[in-house]
Amino acid sequence: MKRAWRGPLGVLLLLLAAADPVFGDECLGPNQEPHPYGSFTFKTNSRVDFSYLKGYKHTVISCISHDDPINPLYVKWVIPGPHGWVPAKQRLESLARATNKDQFDQLKGCLLFGNQGETTRGTFIGVENDERRAADEGKVGCRVAVANVEPAPAGIQSFSQKIRNWFPSDATRPRATLMRLDGDVGIDPRNEGFSSYVSYTLTREGDSQGSAADLTARPVFRGAAEALLPYFNEKNPKTIQLREKDVIFFSVPRVANPGLSYASYEVYDKDQRVVGEISLPVFVPVP
């Protein structure tokens, strides 16, 4: 069942009552925005969804689709995500970002696409601190602004979210080596801390000849999330070898005054070129 209501800009926002992301070729939401490139067009959109964490009212999901019938498209939407490859006639969704906002603003955010590093700006629904980050982008160009972190209303809590992304194992041959990642991103509370996990499988997309053995990942913990890096390093090598099926895991024994933040694992192809990210929520100490 869908409920519709209007934000401050008179834009229809959709609240969707499905717990798992819906994968397909169309992005859901009120702001479908076309971006022509060459003879093709990719589209961006955002939607407001249910909250998967106690103490938060909603989540926001951003999405990219494109109409090339053959070739995948590399995309990196810097502030809201996603970051990866959109296969032909498919869509790629960001991680759901929790928010307590009641009034939603539409913002323009830097988006990199294609194999030539072209940029544009896509309209997305902002959560806390996104307005400042978007303003920073407008001043200095495409870079990630470090977000402020507020204490989590309900403290550290358990959740799990299904994810899907695509990465080529050779960025010079994306269609011929495209791999699909399906998995679950989650947090398990542990005493005063938590365990973070990404459980995944990697399979070839269509007639791809790609290989999971050619993909690696490294943690990208920026801003407040950087404090968690020593705990990741205790149990993991600096570069993680991806496999057809595995779990990326680390534990944080204690988080004082926890706040919700976001981090990622950056994914690299066989020649150590960045081909996307696996995003994950984390809890960080708030000063």
Side-chain angles (χ1 to χ4, degrees), residues 18-234:
D20 295 334
V22 181
F23 302 111
D25 60 355
E26 288 295 329
C27 288
L28 303 179
N31 297 324
Q32 185 148 269
E33 184 175 16
H35 304 273
Y37 69 102
S39 58
F40 300 103
T41 300
F42 70 89
K43 298 175 182 177
T44 55
N45 213 333
S46 290
R47 71 180 188 269
V48 179
D49 211 332
F50 72 100
S51 176
Y52 58 85
L53 288 172
K54 293 179 181 177
Y56 293 90
K57 297 177 181 179
H58 312 293
T59 57
V60 174
I61 298 170
S62 298
C63 176
I64 301 174
S65 63
H66 79 129
D67 62 3
D68 188 325
I70 298 175
N71 297 304
L73 176 70
Y74 172 74
V75 292
K76 181 179 181 179
W77 207 349
V78 178
I79 295 175
H83 181 193
W85 292 72
V86 190
K89 296 293 186 179
Q90 299 252 19
R91 78 187 202 191
L92 179 61
E93 291 195 338
S94 71
L95 189 73
R97 299 193 300 156
T99 178
N100 271 319
K101 296 186 73 171
D102 287 315
Q103 300 292 308
F104 293 92
D105 300 318
Q106 294 186 85
L107 304 173
K108 287 283 190 179
C110 179
L111 197 157
L112 289 77
F113 67 95
N115 57 11
Q116 301 298 318
E118 298 178 77
T119 63
T120 188
R121 290 183 181 272
T123 303
F124 67 96
I125 298 169
V127 302
E128 286 80 357
N129 301 303
D130 281 354
E131 185 173 357
R132 177 183 57 80
R133 297 177 67 190
D136 287 345
E137 281 191 348
K139 295 175 183 176
V140 301
C142 295
R143 68 178 181 89
V144 178
V146 177
N148 293 327
V149 180
E150 301 294 335
I156 297 172
Q157 52 191 291
S158 176
F159 84 97
S160 179
Q161 180 183 336
K162 292 189 180 299
I163 58 170
R164 178 174 291 176
N165 207 335
W166 289 264
F167 311 111
S169 58
D170 181 352
T172 65
R173 300 186 302 128
R175 182 187 172 198
T177 64
L178 201 62
M179 303 291 294
R180 189 179 82 189
L181 180 143
D182 290 284
D184 293 275
V185 172
I187 285 179
D188 287 329
R190 301 285 178 91
N191 297 320
E192 296 181 302
F194 68 93
S195 293
S196 167
Y197 65 87
V198 178
S199 175
Y200 70 89
T201 59
L202 278 166
T203 55
R204 293 189 177 101
E205 179 73 13
D207 58 358
S208 166
Q209 297 302 307
S211 172
D214 288 335
L215 292 170
T216 55
R218 297 173 197 160
V220 181
F221 293 1
R222 299 186 178 98
E226 190 173 357
L228 307 182
L229 193 56
Y231 301 110
F232 172 87
N233 291 336
E234 283 181 4

